[in-house]
Each structure stands twice: as structure tokens, then as C-alpha cells.
Amino acid sequence: MRKLRNIGLMMAAGTLVLTACGGSGSSDDTASGDASAASNDVCKTADGDGPKIGLAYDVGGRGDKSFNDSAYAGIEKAVDELDATCSEAEAQPNESDTEREERLRALADAGFNPVIGVGFSYSPAAAAVAKDYPDTYFAVVDGYATALAQDSNLIDLSFAANQGSYLVGVAAALKSESGKIGFIGGNNGNLIRNFEVGYVAGAKAVDPKIDVDVQYLTRDQNDGETAFANPAGAKTAAEGMIEKGVDVIFHAAGKSGNGLFEAVADAPEGVWAIGVDSDQYLSASADEQSHILTSMLKRVDTGVFDFSKSVADGNVDGPVVTYDLSDDGVGYSTSGGFLDDVKDEIDGYADKIKSGDVKVPSAS
């Protein structure tokens, strides 16, 4: 079961890119993400009569092989199973809350309902906009919007990332030969620190003496580009760790994490990367796949689909919906078979978390 908890189309070029479908709004061939992602654009072809879903991406956009792509997978499922139509809105680097607010308003004005902001940075914007569109539901993935406003049409979709990160921390400690593992975070806000805290706790549950090298790409909470769209920075950080003998590195840095995969692909056998949000083994190159131990799964796709369905059904939960291990909202991947020999041990820790015997720490 999902957990509920209560707490306290036209715009100037460069501000908004909407890829519309079903004859609603305008379309733009420059979808967010890389060329391969743009070539598979469900929002340009969907023509059903189900819910009209507006999706506003985080920095890095579709094609990040991680957070945003997982949200897109939820939209694909909604088109397939709910007969939905959709529109995608692309974020720009280092935006203000006002620019994000304008993006959400544009989607609402175009008749999309629900409107979903992918990433915590949409929280102030959604809180400001929701009151002006009482008949439109707004959700923020990893959001804190409901701490800023209490409108009944405003929802935060939350994930127990610390629990999933604990399990990949267990995996890292079990597989490390050097006793040195690493973590690369986009920024050091509480959202990303939850990944770090869970990862370190899981690793130390296996080996209390394990050495964990933690690095963040930026300390500036407003610099989303350096944090989450910076593969070069993550590659440099990973190479430095590898030079110091670190042999398993977990990232929570969105598109920046692609730099980690490049670094381990050039490293000796036995040096591993751990992906995040999606099963990143599946989108990696062959050279990278042989070094991707596992991925911490955060089912943003499930959250996006479930919220869209609840709006279509007229049965919306809130104000905060939290997904955790008990409902497979988080977890870890086994693609590649690299964890086959330790999977039972990892699952044993998962069972202890679900039963309450293990309490995973969090950053907040």
C-alpha cells in the first residue's frame, strides 16, 4: 500500500518547449533529451480520449537515462493503459521559480490535467500556481509543495530513496575488494543526502570499517545544471576516486551520472558503478554494462502513472504519497547477473527493513 503522510501555450522562446499530442497546443520537434529519446515520442502520436497529462521535466530532460526518463515511462504506460494524451515541457539550466511557474501555468492553460513537475525544484512554483487552477491537479515528484500551500489539488509524490540506497550499499560492501567505496551526489540538499545516508548505512551494516568517499558536484542548491547535467564533472570525480582505490561508486546525480559510467568503462575489471532511479544497465553501452553492478530503483514511473490514474478515476490521495520498499516503490536491479551470488543476503536486509527490524536513517 502507498503511504500517506500530512505536512504543515505560447510563451517567449527559450522559456518553454511543449511537445503536445492529441491535437492540443503546439508541437515542437526539439523534445528534451538526446536524439534517441526524441525519436521515441509518445506525446506526438497519442490520440486517446483519456486524461490529458502535462509533464514538466527537471534539468537534464528526457534522455538522462535516469530520473526524467523514468517519469516518461510512466507517461508511456498512461498512454497505453489509460488512453491518455500528453505534453512534455523542457526545463532550462538555472531557472528561476518564476520561469518554472510560467511553465506549469502554460500546461494548465492548455487544458492538461494533471500537471506534474518532475523534481523538487518545482515545489514553490506548484504551490503558487495550484490555487489559481482549483480544477486542475498538480503533483511534484520529490516535492515539498504541500509544506508551502495546502490546496486540495496539490500533491507531493515522495520516495523512500534511503531504503533503496541502503540495499545498494549492502551490495557495494559485499562486492568491494578494496574496502573503499564511493558516492557522487548532484548537490548536498536533504533529498540527495538521503541517498548518501542510506547507502553508507547499508554498507556499514555489512562492514563497519568500510571507507566511503563522498563527493558532491555542487553545494549550490540552485545550480541544477552543475548538479544534474554535468557528466564531465561526475567523470572527473569518479576518476579521482578510482585512483585512490575506490572500486564501487554509486551516483545520485541524474544525467551527470553518465560521466561515472564513462569512467568505470575505462577502469580495470572489478571497478563498479551503481546507477540510480532506473535500471541503468539497460540503457548503457556494452563497455559500460560490464561495470554496472546494480541500480537503485526509484519508481518515478509508478508515481506518475498512479497519480494520473487517480485523477482520471476521481480518487486522488494526498497531500503526500510516499512509495517505499513495502510497495516496491524503491528497490534494486539485478540486470547483468553480477549480484546473483549475494542476492539472498541483500534480500535478507530488505526483509528486515520491511518488518521494521532495521530502521534506515534519513537526512531530514
mmCIF file of all heavy atoms in Angstrom, residues 12 16-17 23 28 40-41 55 78 93 97 108 136 181 201 217 234 244 251 274 277 293 306 315 328 340 355-356:
data_model
loop_
_atom_site.group_PDB
_atom_site.id
_atom_site.type_symbol
_atom_site.label_atom_id
_atom_site.label_comp_id
_atom_site.label_asym_id
_atom_site.label_seq_id
_atom_site.Cartn_x
_atom_site.Cartn_y
_atom_site.Cartn_z
ATOM 1 N N ALA A 12 7.514 33.137 -24.432
ATOM 2 C CA ALA A 12 8.720 33.590 -25.118
ATOM 3 C C ALA A 12 9.642 32.419 -25.386
ATOM 4 O O ALA A 12 9.788 31.536 -24.563
ATOM 5 C CB ALA A 12 9.441 34.637 -24.254
ATOM 6 N N LEU A 16 9.962 28.058 -22.669
ATOM 7 C CA LEU A 16 9.112 26.878 -22.645
ATOM 8 C C LEU A 16 9.188 26.150 -23.965
ATOM 9 O O LEU A 16 9.134 26.763 -25.011
ATOM 10 C CB LEU A 16 7.662 27.294 -22.382
ATOM 11 C CG LEU A 16 6.620 26.172 -22.376
ATOM 12 C CD1 LEU A 16 6.849 25.252 -21.192
ATOM 13 C CD2 LEU A 16 5.224 26.758 -22.323
ATOM 14 N N VAL A 17 9.341 24.827 -23.892
ATOM 15 C CA VAL A 17 9.202 23.985 -25.069
ATOM 16 C C VAL A 17 8.167 22.941 -24.747
ATOM 17 O O VAL A 17 8.344 22.157 -23.827
ATOM 18 C CB VAL A 17 10.530 23.297 -25.447
ATOM 19 C CG1 VAL A 17 10.311 22.362 -26.618
ATOM 20 C CG2 VAL A 17 11.587 24.331 -25.809
ATOM 21 N N GLY A 23 -3.678 16.763 -30.633
ATOM 22 C CA GLY A 23 -4.246 17.975 -31.216
ATOM 23 C C GLY A 23 -4.345 19.128 -30.245
ATOM 24 O O GLY A 23 -4.951 20.133 -30.552
ATOM 25 N N ASP A 28 6.648 20.824 -30.963
ATOM 26 C CA ASP A 28 7.996 21.260 -31.281
ATOM 27 C C ASP A 28 8.848 20.041 -31.471
ATOM 28 O O ASP A 28 8.849 19.148 -30.642
ATOM 29 C CB ASP A 28 8.541 22.132 -30.141
ATOM 30 C CG ASP A 28 9.797 22.879 -30.544
ATOM 31 O OD1 ASP A 28 10.726 22.223 -31.040
ATOM 32 O OD2 ASP A 28 9.827 24.099 -30.344
ATOM 33 N N ASN A 40 11.577 8.535 -30.031
ATOM 34 C CA ASN A 40 10.512 7.700 -29.486
ATOM 35 C C ASN A 40 9.614 8.598 -28.647
ATOM 36 O O ASN A 40 9.723 8.642 -27.426
ATOM 37 C CB ASN A 40 11.123 6.572 -28.646
ATOM 38 C CG ASN A 40 10.067 5.691 -28.036
ATOM 39 O OD1 ASN A 40 8.955 5.582 -28.551
ATOM 40 N ND2 ASN A 40 10.399 5.066 -26.919
ATOM 41 N N ASP A 41 8.731 9.334 -29.317
ATOM 42 C CA ASP A 41 7.989 10.401 -28.654
ATOM 43 C C ASP A 41 6.506 10.083 -28.641
ATOM 44 O O ASP A 41 5.779 10.382 -29.581
ATOM 45 C CB ASP A 41 8.256 11.717 -29.380
ATOM 46 C CG ASP A 41 7.760 12.915 -28.586
ATOM 47 O OD1 ASP A 41 6.967 12.712 -27.656
ATOM 48 O OD2 ASP A 41 8.166 14.036 -28.893
ATOM 49 N N LEU A 55 3.576 17.096 -18.434
ATOM 50 C CA LEU A 55 4.777 16.678 -17.704
ATOM 51 C C LEU A 55 5.866 17.720 -17.904
ATOM 52 O O LEU A 55 6.305 17.967 -19.034
ATOM 53 C CB LEU A 55 5.247 15.316 -18.213
ATOM 54 C CG LEU A 55 6.338 14.617 -17.414
ATOM 55 C CD1 LEU A 55 5.821 14.197 -16.036
ATOM 56 C CD2 LEU A 55 6.854 13.388 -18.166
ATOM 57 N N ALA A 78 0.650 5.376 -19.212
ATOM 58 C CA ALA A 78 -0.656 6.033 -19.160
ATOM 59 C C ALA A 78 -1.286 6.121 -20.549
ATOM 60 O O ALA A 78 -2.507 5.953 -20.706
ATOM 61 C CB ALA A 78 -0.519 7.428 -18.553
ATOM 62 N N PRO A 93 18.574 25.395 -17.993
ATOM 63 C CA PRO A 93 19.509 25.475 -16.869
ATOM 64 C C PRO A 93 19.283 26.716 -16.009
ATOM 65 O O PRO A 93 18.968 27.789 -16.521
ATOM 66 C CB PRO A 93 20.885 25.529 -17.558
ATOM 67 C CG PRO A 93 20.677 24.925 -18.910
ATOM 68 C CD PRO A 93 19.279 25.321 -19.296
ATOM 69 N N ASP A 97 12.176 30.393 -10.021
ATOM 70 C CA ASP A 97 10.852 29.865 -9.695
ATOM 71 C C ASP A 97 9.788 30.467 -10.611
ATOM 72 O O ASP A 97 8.813 29.801 -10.967
ATOM 73 C CB ASP A 97 10.500 30.174 -8.233
ATOM 74 C CG ASP A 97 11.287 29.323 -7.253
ATOM 75 O OD1 ASP A 97 11.723 28.216 -7.630
ATOM 76 O OD2 ASP A 97 11.452 29.768 -6.104
ATOM 77 N N ALA A 108 -1.408 24.148 -17.658
ATOM 78 C CA ALA A 108 -2.776 24.222 -17.143
ATOM 79 C C ALA A 108 -3.681 25.011 -18.086
ATOM 80 O O ALA A 108 -4.826 24.619 -18.346
ATOM 81 C CB ALA A 108 -2.778 24.851 -15.745
ATOM 82 N N THR A 136 -7.645 21.831 -11.562
ATOM 83 C CA THR A 136 -6.504 21.109 -12.130
ATOM 84 C C THR A 136 -5.655 20.552 -10.997
ATOM 85 O O THR A 136 -5.346 21.273 -10.033
ATOM 86 C CB THR A 136 -5.638 22.041 -12.995
ATOM 87 O OG1 THR A 136 -6.428 22.555 -14.068
ATOM 88 C CG2 THR A 136 -4.432 21.304 -13.566
ATOM 89 N N ILE A 181 34.616 2.373 -1.021
ATOM 90 C CA ILE A 181 33.522 2.620 -1.956
ATOM 91 C C ILE A 181 33.271 4.119 -2.023
ATOM 92 O O ILE A 181 33.769 4.886 -1.197
ATOM 93 C CB ILE A 181 32.234 1.867 -1.556
ATOM 94 C CG1 ILE A 181 31.708 2.355 -0.201
ATOM 95 C CG2 ILE A 181 32.492 0.358 -1.510
ATOM 96 C CD1 ILE A 181 30.351 1.759 0.189
ATOM 97 N N ALA A 201 24.811 3.701 5.370
ATOM 98 C CA ALA A 201 24.288 2.831 6.430
ATOM 99 C C ALA A 201 24.252 1.377 5.980
ATOM 100 O O ALA A 201 24.611 0.469 6.754
ATOM 101 C CB ALA A 201 22.888 3.290 6.839
ATOM 102 N N LEU A 217 28.817 17.374 -6.581
ATOM 103 C CA LEU A 217 29.238 18.155 -7.734
ATOM 104 C C LEU A 217 29.055 19.648 -7.512
ATOM 105 O O LEU A 217 29.705 20.467 -8.159
ATOM 106 C CB LEU A 217 28.465 17.707 -8.978
ATOM 107 C CG LEU A 217 28.667 16.236 -9.358
ATOM 108 C CD1 LEU A 217 27.846 15.884 -10.594
ATOM 109 C CD2 LEU A 217 30.146 15.931 -9.607
ATOM 110 N N ALA A 234 31.100 14.610 -13.077
ATOM 111 C CA ALA A 234 30.994 13.306 -12.427
ATOM 112 C C ALA A 234 32.116 12.376 -12.872
ATOM 113 O O ALA A 234 32.635 11.583 -12.076
ATOM 114 C CB ALA A 234 29.633 12.681 -12.738
ATOM 115 N N LYS A 244 42.281 6.511 -6.119
ATOM 116 C CA LYS A 244 42.531 6.294 -4.680
ATOM 117 C C LYS A 244 42.158 4.883 -4.232
ATOM 118 O O LYS A 244 42.197 4.588 -3.039
ATOM 119 C CB LYS A 244 41.761 7.323 -3.867
ATOM 120 C CG LYS A 244 42.256 8.755 -4.044
ATOM 121 C CD LYS A 244 41.572 9.733 -3.118
ATOM 122 C CE LYS A 244 40.129 9.964 -3.479
ATOM 123 N NZ LYS A 244 39.493 11.019 -2.636
ATOM 124 N N HIS A 251 26.057 6.739 -7.800
ATOM 125 C CA HIS A 251 25.740 8.146 -8.071
ATOM 126 C C HIS A 251 24.258 8.420 -7.848
ATOM 127 O O HIS A 251 23.403 7.563 -8.077
ATOM 128 C CB HIS A 251 26.131 8.542 -9.503
ATOM 129 C CG HIS A 251 25.070 8.290 -10.532
ATOM 130 N ND1 HIS A 251 24.087 9.220 -10.842
ATOM 131 C CD2 HIS A 251 24.817 7.223 -11.336
ATOM 132 C CE1 HIS A 251 23.289 8.743 -11.788
ATOM 133 N NE2 HIS A 251 23.701 7.531 -12.105
ATOM 134 N N ILE A 274 27.226 2.024 -9.684
ATOM 135 C CA ILE A 274 25.838 1.743 -9.304
ATOM 136 C C ILE A 274 24.982 2.886 -9.822
ATOM 137 O O ILE A 274 25.230 4.047 -9.507
ATOM 138 C CB ILE A 274 25.687 1.593 -7.785
ATOM 139 C CG1 ILE A 274 26.494 0.389 -7.277
ATOM 140 C CG2 ILE A 274 24.216 1.444 -7.406
ATOM 141 C CD1 ILE A 274 26.473 0.218 -5.775
ATOM 142 N N ASP A 277 17.671 5.480 -9.934
ATOM 143 C CA ASP A 277 16.312 5.751 -10.406
ATOM 144 C C ASP A 277 15.807 4.680 -11.355
ATOM 145 O O ASP A 277 14.843 3.993 -11.067
ATOM 146 C CB ASP A 277 16.197 7.133 -11.047
ATOM 147 C CG ASP A 277 16.441 8.259 -10.061
ATOM 148 O OD1 ASP A 277 16.234 8.041 -8.855
ATOM 149 O OD2 ASP A 277 16.856 9.345 -10.473
ATOM 150 N N LEU A 293 27.167 -2.619 -11.611
ATOM 151 C CA LEU A 293 26.857 -3.668 -10.644
ATOM 152 C C LEU A 293 25.359 -3.828 -10.432
ATOM 153 O O LEU A 293 24.813 -4.933 -10.417
ATOM 154 C CB LEU A 293 27.548 -3.343 -9.318
ATOM 155 C CG LEU A 293 27.369 -4.330 -8.174
ATOM 156 C CD1 LEU A 293 28.002 -5.674 -8.526
ATOM 157 C CD2 LEU A 293 27.979 -3.760 -6.887
ATOM 158 N N ASP A 306 0.357 6.199 -11.400
ATOM 159 C CA ASP A 306 -0.667 6.090 -10.362
ATOM 160 C C ASP A 306 -1.399 7.415 -10.140
ATOM 161 O O ASP A 306 -2.627 7.448 -9.965
ATOM 162 C CB ASP A 306 -0.047 5.623 -9.046
ATOM 163 C CG ASP A 306 0.268 4.144 -9.018
ATOM 164 O OD1 ASP A 306 -0.038 3.452 -10.007
ATOM 165 O OD2 ASP A 306 0.823 3.681 -8.000
ATOM 166 N N ASN A 315 -10.165 9.844 -7.746
ATOM 167 C CA ASN A 315 -9.867 9.273 -6.431
ATOM 168 C C ASN A 315 -8.419 9.583 -6.056
ATOM 169 O O ASN A 315 -7.562 8.708 -6.015
ATOM 170 C CB ASN A 315 -10.099 7.759 -6.463
ATOM 171 C CG ASN A 315 -9.917 7.115 -5.106
ATOM 172 O OD1 ASN A 315 -10.127 7.753 -4.076
ATOM 173 N ND2 ASN A 315 -9.516 5.845 -5.107
ATOM 174 N N ASP A 328 7.182 -1.825 -3.321
ATOM 175 C CA ASP A 328 8.097 -1.855 -4.468
ATOM 176 C C ASP A 328 8.265 -0.481 -5.095
ATOM 177 O O ASP A 328 8.577 -0.363 -6.288
ATOM 178 C CB ASP A 328 7.621 -2.863 -5.527
ATOM 179 C CG ASP A 328 7.660 -4.294 -5.019
ATOM 180 O OD1 ASP A 328 8.597 -4.625 -4.273
ATOM 181 O OD2 ASP A 328 6.748 -5.074 -5.359
ATOM 182 N N ASP A 340 24.093 -12.139 -8.443
ATOM 183 C CA ASP A 340 23.459 -13.445 -8.246
ATOM 184 C C ASP A 340 23.964 -14.152 -6.995
ATOM 185 O O ASP A 340 23.195 -14.820 -6.284
ATOM 186 C CB ASP A 340 23.691 -14.344 -9.463
ATOM 187 C CG ASP A 340 22.870 -13.904 -10.670
ATOM 188 O OD1 ASP A 340 22.037 -12.987 -10.520
ATOM 189 O OD2 ASP A 340 23.078 -14.469 -11.766
ATOM 190 N N SER A 355 10.052 -5.379 7.784
ATOM 191 C CA SER A 355 9.483 -5.810 9.070
ATOM 192 C C SER A 355 9.662 -4.780 10.173
ATOM 193 O O SER A 355 9.035 -4.881 11.231
ATOM 194 C CB SER A 355 10.116 -7.135 9.512
ATOM 195 O OG SER A 355 11.475 -6.940 9.888
ATOM 196 N N GLY A 356 10.536 -3.812 9.936
ATOM 197 C CA GLY A 356 10.820 -2.819 10.951
ATOM 198 C C GLY A 356 11.988 -3.167 11.838
ATOM 199 O O GLY A 356 12.354 -2.385 12.738
#
